[in-house]
Amino acid sequence: MADYKDTLNLPDTPFPMRGDLAKREPGWVKEWQEKKIYQAIRAASAHRPKFILHDGPPYANGDIHIGHAVNKILKDIIVKSRNMAGYDAQYVPGWDCHGMPIEREIEKKHGKNLPTEKTQALARAYAGEQIERQKVDFVRLGVLGEWDNPYKTMAFKTEADEIRVLGRILEKGYVYRGLKPVNWCFDCASALAEAEVEYADKEDLAIDVAFPFAEPEKVAAAFGLPALAKDGAVVIWTTTPWTIPSNQALNMHPEFSYSLVDTGRGLLILATDLVAANLEKWKLTGTTLATTVGAKLSEIKFHHPLAKMDAGYDRLSPVYLGDYVTLDTGTGIVHSAPAYGVEDFISCKSHGMKDTEILTPVMGNGVYAETLPLFAGQMIWKANPVITEKLKDSGNLLHVNKYVHSYMHCWRHKTPIIYRASTQWFAAMDTPPGFRGNKPAESLRETALRAIDATQFFPGWGKQRLHSMIANRPDWTLSRQRQWGVPMPFFVHKETGELHPQTLEILEAVAKLVEQNGIEAWQTVNPDDLIGAVGANSTAYYEKIKDTLDVWFDSGSTFQTVMGGPGGETNGMGSHGPQLRYPADMYLEGSDQHRGWFHSSLLVSCMLNGRAPYDSLLTHGFVVAGDGRKMSKSVGNVVAPQKISDTLGAEVLRLWVASTDYSGELSISDEILKRVVEAYRRIRNTLRFMLANTSDFDPKAHALPVKEWLEIDRYALGLAAELQHNVLADYTRYEFHAAVPKIQIFCSEDLGGFYLDILKDRLYTAAKGSHARRSAQNALWHLTQSLLRLMAPILSFTAEEAWREFNPGDLTIFLHTYYAFPQPEDGPELAQKWAQLRTVRGEVQKKLEDMRTAKEIGSSLQAEVEIRAAGDKLKALQSLGNDLRFVLITSQATVTHVDDAAAESISATTSKYAKCERCWHYRSDVGANKEHAGLCGRCVSNLFGPGEPRAHA
RNA sequence: CGUCGUAUAGCUCAACGGUAGAGCACCCGCCCGAUAAGCGGGAGGCUGGUGGUUCAAAUCCAUCUGCGGCGACCA
């Protein structure tokens, strides 16, 4: 038997079937960098309209985790897809560099209580190292961007511009100074972040204190009594006697029941449920005169327990209602010192107490101010027993005992800390304080809410979320008491606290210094040099403030400090102003950034420009393990992006990101990744087949006008055009998880299961340069053009790898836009007709499967088919003529007319003819040519004659 | 606890008031000229639970449960 394999046009390509991604991707990354692909794309796109996705800066601490990878890959997919859609889509990555976590890292490595200069120097160096580490991992993911010139919030110019932003919001009248309770360490003489707080057991004095009636008639009325027969008091319980001198209110729960009890020491009010326990503790007996709910006692005033001890305490405390009051311990009544408790502060403020009315006798070192009656100059912890003693003297102490409880301690000093109202700087949400006659026309809250309405959200529920956050948030505390942060370079009057009259000029002067030497310049500058040492406006009267800005203000200002704000393209503002544009088309981050970066950026931009810095917001969820659980080191279900890159390849990670619906959680597991790998293999193999079968195709020499193609080739072109249209629509909506299965199904069903399967016969057996074969290659060539570009934003490595094979000598696929298809004239009719043909094909395949099960055939080519059909179906089948058998991949196919659909049927038989040794079809004319006894007629013609005519398939 | 999401076949996703679909995985078979490939066929869901609205509910409403985000001087 002659071997005819050499006479076939079998596919050939160096494009390997297996990607070997983990090993080969780093090489491609390197090439992209060496060939400066990103810069080439910029040059090629310079004339196009801009699409600006402004990068939200990751924090420069720690190696990237899977969430970072998701974020950057999504951004990369969007940037690439917008660029290929014909935009100049820039990507300038950035890093958030200041803040407490880095300070803590420095403390861990170099010890605590370093001088500020030292901390800043170490922090700056550390952040730089972290950025380089993270950058390597980001680049490894195939993310293209301006990695040579990223933005950093610690860049000197960025730091300086941030100070200028502060100056502008001050000038516009949004900034004021006020009180706020914070965690305070006396040894640090500073506020602490929550992360710097530890809990440990502490022994305190727990005291029960009576606040005597000041308005007995109102108390009587609240309990439904005509009058009270004797004096009495409301009783509170506290473990912080040192807050008693600062008491300014009492809290009761509006719904709890409170009793008025007649005891040996007068009438007492306490929660009904706690009467028995407390009377026993106080060794009293009593009878309940009446009960009422807390709400009835609202606003009734009581005497301070130390009122009789010193006139300085002769004041009244009103009852404010609060849901946070519990019946766990104590009396059901809580004493409220607004300067030293968060709930106390909020409650008193909401009842109209002004900052200036709040008593703040505890100084930063934990000692009572000289103005505090009775206890001046005492350290609060040492004052506890003294206060208790005074209360006893006053007759208002019902009980005292030692009490061990869990209490906040400083992470550094292991000493107890307190909540302490301290002076902070705020941006006003509702009532702009104004600045020297300047005052915004509307409140920041109103402006921001309007800006949200004008913003597009992906997914849509983000709008309501951000809206409700802005609607409900309190004033923004801009100041922090930290070292590694952008300073608020203010001078305030030592007595009045007023800002220096030349504040704006000082800010600009400091900005200039910072521009040269970084934030460190503010640390080292001599105040005398800025405002002079003598005179009313000098350092004699004004002191330098050490506060830094909230790090959220750093990243919240990047629309100005990086993008350059309005006019940044031309006015030289911003680290990347000329190339970017304000507002950005999009900010894209995890959904936690509604409260973070989206939020802070919105507020700063609204203060500066009255609008959001973005036109649209896209949010993605968080990555969870396959079982829906959060990933955590302790559970051990953490999936590291570096590990995936090193084993499966970053391409697989990219495909996983693209195929997951990011609007909810993104779950990842070994099985999920395995499925992604399967999908990848299928797509890769399909590409390989197309590359292999077009390897001898030269579009310059072999291109044919579409109308000269075979019908099925034109149909395939239409399918690809439809795919591209649908996929691009998904890209435009940023719904990549909808696009990926479309591509996958196209490869599997339309190509693998249909078109390519049918095409093999023609590609392999027709004469190499025949019209029939070239027509197929034309179609494959256009399909590949489209498919590679369509895939490129997601499967960047593979698309690029294939592109080099497909288009040798071209720098990169990313220089190209989506493919412009030639339009077949009869596209719609073909689509309809071939859909019908494919239905019939499916029915035939079922029939053939039955024969296979009955062992009548193996290969479908062993069968001959007869189809009886009516109407359109008949016409469609008949129109293919002799080519129908190729569509069905059978050796013979005949069509017979029947009158109506009910009479339609399909039958198949095993061919009785011999198998052509070359094309494997079973034909009556095999051996008809004596010189080539093993061949069928068309193979003889294809090899030695004019070639078989093919018009349809 | 509050609030915003989310829950459909083993996995990833469709169906957006009208008989639950696809790809992959799985099972069976074919092929051996895409070959650590390719083709065909098949099985597999009380759409998280419960109650409602409706002629009709995966879809609308309520409630419960699981999971997750946010509620931090953390980023």
Side-chain angles (χ1 to χ4, degrees):
Chain A
M1 196 195 275
D3 185 3
Y4 288 101
K5 194 166 175 176
D6 290 344
T7 71
L8 296 172
N9 314 300
L10 292 179
D12 181 35
T13 177
F15 186 85
M17 185 154 87
R18 308 190 69 196
D20 212 2
L21 297 167
K23 202 173 289 175
R24 301 205 293 150
E25 283 169 350
W28 296 323
V29 167
K30 201 173 159 212
E31 274 189 53
W32 279 334
Q33 289 181 308
E34 286 171 357
K35 292 182 179 171
K36 298 195 178 300
I37 297 294
Y38 180 78
Q39 290 78 355
I41 297 169
R42 293 284 63 78
S45 311
H47 62 286
R48 303 182 193 162
K50 285 182 183 178
F51 178 87
I52 305 300
L53 193 169
H54 180 44
D55 191 35
Y59 191 70
N61 184 28
D63 288 341
I64 68 165
H65 54 68
I66 192 84
H68 289 112
V70 167
N71 179 263
K72 281 289 197 274
I73 288 172
L74 264 180
K75 285 170 178 167
D76 187 52
I77 292 173
I78 289 175
V79 168
K80 282 172 178 163
S81 75
R82 292 273 85 192
N83 207 79
M84 296 187 83
Y87 290 86
D88 178 22
Q90 311 244 350
Y91 184 59
V92 178
W95 273 276
D96 198 6
C97 307
H98 301 296
M100 191 205 67
I102 290 178
E103 273 186 41
R104 285 192 62 173
E105 287 297 325
I106 299 307
E107 282 193 353
K108 271 193 223 162
K109 285 165 90 169
H110 303 277
K112 299 171 182 183
N113 300 317
L114 293 171
T116 299
E117 294 95 335
K118 186 81 179 156
T119 299
Q120 288 180 339
L122 289 168
R124 189 175 285 282
Y126 176 83
E129 291 161 18
Q130 295 297 309
I131 288 170
E132 291 312 311
R133 284 182 68 90
Q134 293 189 357
K135 188 193 288 183
V136 168
D137 286 345
F138 285 142
V139 170
R140 174 65 185 82
L141 297 172
V143 178
L144 293 182
E146 200 158 319
W147 296 108
D148 296 342
N149 180 32
Y151 79 82
K152 302 172 188 177
T153 58
M154 67 175 179
F156 292 173
K157 184 172 192 308
T158 306
E159 290 174 334
D161 281 347
E162 188 175 330
I163 290 171
R164 295 187 173 106
V165 170
L166 173 64
R168 280 169 65 185
I169 65 169
L170 175 71
E171 187 179 13
K172 285 183 180 259
Y174 288 104
V175 179
Y176 72 95
R177 202 175 188 227
L179 282 180
K180 192 188 178 195
V182 297
N183 293 314
W184 190 273
C185 172
F186 300 132
D187 296 297
C188 301
S190 164
L192 298 185
E194 190 77 20
E196 296 170 304
V197 175
E198 291 180 349
Y199 285 80
D201 280 351
K202 178 177 188 297
E203 185 182 277
D204 275 308
L205 294 176
I207 54 174
D208 296 298
V209 183
F211 282 63
F213 295 162
E215 301 175 321
E217 66 292 343
K218 287 191 183 173
V219 173
F223 281 96
L225 301 171
L228 299 181
K230 42 179 145 171
D231 261 357
V234 63
V235 188
I236 65 96
W237 177 83
T238 181
T239 58
T240 53
W242 62 269
T243 59
I244 293 287
S246 312
N247 172 279
Q248 295 186 271
L250 299 164
N251 296 139
M252 296 173 125
H253 195 290
E255 289 160 20
F256 288 172
S257 171
Y258 290 90
S259 296
L260 182 66
V261 186
D262 189 3
T263 74
R265 57 178 300 163
L267 304 178
L268 297 177
I269 297 174
L270 63 166
T272 305
D273 290 353
L274 298 166
V275 169
N278 277 303
L279 287 185
E280 189 184 342
K281 182 167 76 167
W282 302 331
K283 299 190 174 22
L284 290 175
T285 54
T287 51
T288 298
L289 300 180
T291 63
T292 188
V293 290
K296 297 260 187 190
L297 293 152
S298 177
E299 305 286 346
I300 296 177
K301 296 186 177 72
F302 296 85
H303 288 293
H304 192 280
L306 295 171
K308 288 181 184 155
M309 306 304 293
D310 189 293
Y313 294 105
D314 190 6
R315 59 173 190 260
L316 302 176
S317 290
V319 169
Y320 296 148
L321 301 176
D323 291 336
Y324 48 84
V325 176
T326 69
L327 295 174
D328 299 342
T329 48
T331 61
I333 301 115
V334 179
H335 107 92
S336 177
Y340 304 109
V342 175
E343 284 163 340
D344 310 38
F345 182 83
I346 295 168
S347 157
C348 286
K349 289 278 280 190
S350 72
H351 282 86
M353 195 177 287
K354 296 196 174 66
D355 281 355
T356 49
E357 296 169 337
I358 291 174
L359 302 172
T360 57
V362 181
M363 299 191 295
N365 57 2
V367 173
Y368 283 124
E370 288 306 319
T371 52
L372 185 73
L374 302 178
F375 313 110
Q378 297 187 37
M379 173 72 191
I380 61 162
W381 305 124
K382 294 202 171 138
N384 272 335
V386 182
I387 293 167
T388 304
E389 202 57 32
K390 282 288 176 196
L391 286 168
K392 194 175 174 186
D393 294 348
S394 75
N396 286 319
L397 185 72
L398 285 160
H399 189 260
V400 57
N401 63 287
K402 288 182 178 171
Y403 186 81
V404 177
H405 58 145
S406 177
Y407 191 81
M408 306 185 296
H409 287 71
C410 173
W411 170 76
R412 292 183 189 80
H413 300 95
K414 313 292 178 194
T415 50
I417 60 176
I418 66 167
Y419 276 110
R420 175 174 177 262
S422 66
T423 302
Q424 303 290 343
W425 299 90
F426 297 86
M429 291 303 298
D430 297 307
T431 318
F435 184 79
R436 295 177 194 162
N438 283 338
K439 204 173 209 179
E442 66 179 353
S443 74
L444 178 55
R445 201 185 304 278
E446 288 168 327
T447 309
L449 291 177
R450 215 163 22 75
I452 290 168
D453 277 339
T455 301
Q456 196 181 2
F457 286 75
F458 302 92
W461 49 256
K463 177 171 279 194
Q464 195 212 326
R465 182 144 158 197
L466 188 55
H467 191 280
S468 71
M469 283 177 182
I470 294 289
N472 296 319
R473 70 155 293 147
D475 288 351
W476 183 1
T477 314
L478 297 172
S479 50
R480 297 290 186 274
Q481 289 69 47
R482 309 225 64 92
Q483 301 179 81
W484 179 231
V486 174
M488 301 184 81
F490 290 154
F491 286 89
V492 298
H493 195 276
K494 287 176 180 173
E495 281 165 25
T496 66
E498 290 293 314
L499 277 170
H500 193 279
Q502 266 94 49
T503 290
L504 296 177
E505 292 81 352
I506 295 166
L507 287 180
E508 180 52 34
V510 174
K512 285 204 166 70
L513 291 173
V514 168
E515 208 162 276
Q516 295 305 312
N517 299 302
I519 56 169
E520 292 84 341
W522 172 246
Q523 195 60 35
T524 52
V525 72
N526 184 345
D528 295 347
D529 294 343
L530 281 173
I531 60 171
V534 290
N537 291 341
S538 73
T539 52
Y541 293 95
Y542 286 86
E543 64 178 337
K544 182 178 161 186
I545 295 295
K546 288 184 188 167
D547 292 357
T548 58
L549 281 159
D550 179 4
V551 280
W552 284 111
F553 196 85
D554 293 15
S555 54
S557 324
T558 55
F559 67 86
Q560 179 67 37
T561 60
V562 176
M563 287 160 55
E569 288 168 271
T570 50
N571 65 13
M573 297 296 290
S575 60
H576 295 70
Q579 65 196 87
L580 300 177
R581 185 201 63 216
Y582 175 97
D585 291 276
M586 172 176 283
Y587 278 27
L588 182 168
E589 302 301 330
S591 56
D592 57 335
Q593 298 302 331
H594 283 106
R595 187 160 294 275
W597 192 52
F598 296 158
H599 194 115
S600 58
S601 297
L602 175 71
L603 292 181
V604 180
S605 183
C606 282
M607 285 190 274
L608 247 49
N609 307 313
R611 63 152 295 156
Y614 36 72
D615 285 334
S616 68
L617 284 182
L618 188 148
T619 51
H620 57 81
F622 281 72
V623 181
V624 296
D627 57 1
R629 298 279 173 165
K630 201 195 302 200
M631 294 198 307
S632 77
K633 279 176 192 161
S634 54
V635 179
N637 58 356
V638 175
V639 179
Q642 294 85 354
K643 193 183 165 196
I644 298 176
S645 292
D646 292 344
T647 53
L648 303 173
E651 193 82 319
V652 171
L653 194 58
R654 297 181 65 96
L655 187 56
W656 166 72
V657 170
S659 50
T660 305
D661 179 1
Y662 56 73
S663 67
E665 293 118 58
L666 297 87
S667 40
I668 193 166
S669 68
D670 287 344
E671 180 181 2
I672 291 167
L673 285 172
K674 209 169 150 190
R675 293 291 92 81
V676 174
V677 169
E678 298 292 343
Y680 174 76
R681 283 210 189 111
R682 184 60 203 240
I683 293 169
R684 184 179 179 90
N685 246 312
T686 305
L687 289 178
R688 180 166 186 268
F689 183 88
M690 297 203 289
L691 293 176
N693 282 290
T694 50
S695 60
D696 68 325
F697 179 77
D698 176 3
K700 289 192 192 72
H702 307 134
L704 295 170
V706 175
K707 64 181 176 199
E708 292 177 21
W709 297 6
L710 304 205
E711 192 176 312
I712 195 173
D713 297 332
R714 278 180 278 140
Y715 167 64
L717 184 74
L719 283 179
E722 187 191 4
L723 172 77
Q724 176 166 309
H725 178 265
N726 292 335
V727 166
L728 292 185
D730 290 333
Y731 284 2
T732 304
R733 290 189 297 264
Y734 311 112
E735 292 177 4
F736 306 106
H737 77 283
V740 170
K742 287 190 177 86
I743 292 173
Q744 194 189 339
I745 291 169
F746 181 74
C747 288
S748 262
E749 298 291 296
D750 292 319
L751 296 183
F754 176 71
Y755 183 57
L756 300 183
D757 203 26
I758 293 167
L759 223 48
K760 284 177 204 166
D761 176 86
R762 180 150 46 108
L763 287 166
Y764 299 168
T765 68
K768 190 166 183 159
S770 64
H771 170 261
R773 184 159 178 275
R774 293 300 186 206
S775 171
Q777 290 183 312
N778 265 275
L780 288 180
W781 189 81
H782 286 283
L783 259 59
T784 308
Q785 283 283 6
S786 167
L787 200 53
L788 288 181
R789 298 173 198 214
L790 219 44
M791 287 168 31
I794 296 168
L795 296 168
S796 298
F797 291 108
T798 307
E800 185 79 319
E801 181 194 359
W803 188 252
R804 285 176 198 174
E805 190 62 40
F806 187 64
N807 215 336
D810 199 62
L811 183 64
T812 172
I813 192 171
F814 296 108
L815 240 29
H816 299 267
T817 52
Y818 294 123
Y819 193 52
F821 274 104
Q823 296 292 323
E825 287 168 20
D826 50 357
E829 301 94 274
L830 285 182
Q832 205 178 353
K833 173 178 163 183
W834 281 86
Q836 195 169 30
L837 288 169
R838 286 173 73 171
T839 307
V840 176
R841 188 171 183 268
E843 289 160 4
V844 169
Q845 281 170 329
K846 277 202 175 68
K847 206 81 190 172
L848 298 180
E849 190 61 28
D850 290 343
M851 293 179 74
R852 231 171 248 134
T853 308
K855 303 286 181 198
E856 290 167 18
I857 59 167
S859 161
S860 62
L861 285 174
Q862 287 174 256
E864 296 186 352
V865 181
E866 184 181 359
I867 304 168
R868 283 165 289 276
D872 284 348
K873 194 193 280 181
L874 177 73
K875 276 203 287 186
L877 289 164
Q878 284 177 330
S879 75
L880 297 186
N882 290 329
D883 290 350
L884 178 59
R885 67 178 169 114
F886 298 114
V887 174
L888 301 177
I889 315 185
T890 55
S891 282
Q892 183 62 275
T894 52
V895 183
T896 316
H897 165 271
V898 292
D899 286 334
D900 57 89
E904 290 179 339
S905 68
I906 296 169
S907 57
T909 55
T910 309
S911 175
K912 57 180 183 287
Y913 299 114
K915 177 182 178 183
C916 170
E917 287 170 22
R918 182 169 177 271
C919 74
W920 296 343
H921 281 243
Y922 292 75
R923 302 292 292 175
S924 61
D925 57 1
V926 170
N929 186 320
K930 297 286 179 271
E931 288 176 44
H932 308 287
L935 296 186
C936 69
R938 69 182 184 112
C939 278
V940 173
S941 176
N942 283 334
L943 281 178
F944 311 108
E948 61 175 326
R950 299 274 277 263
H952 305 288

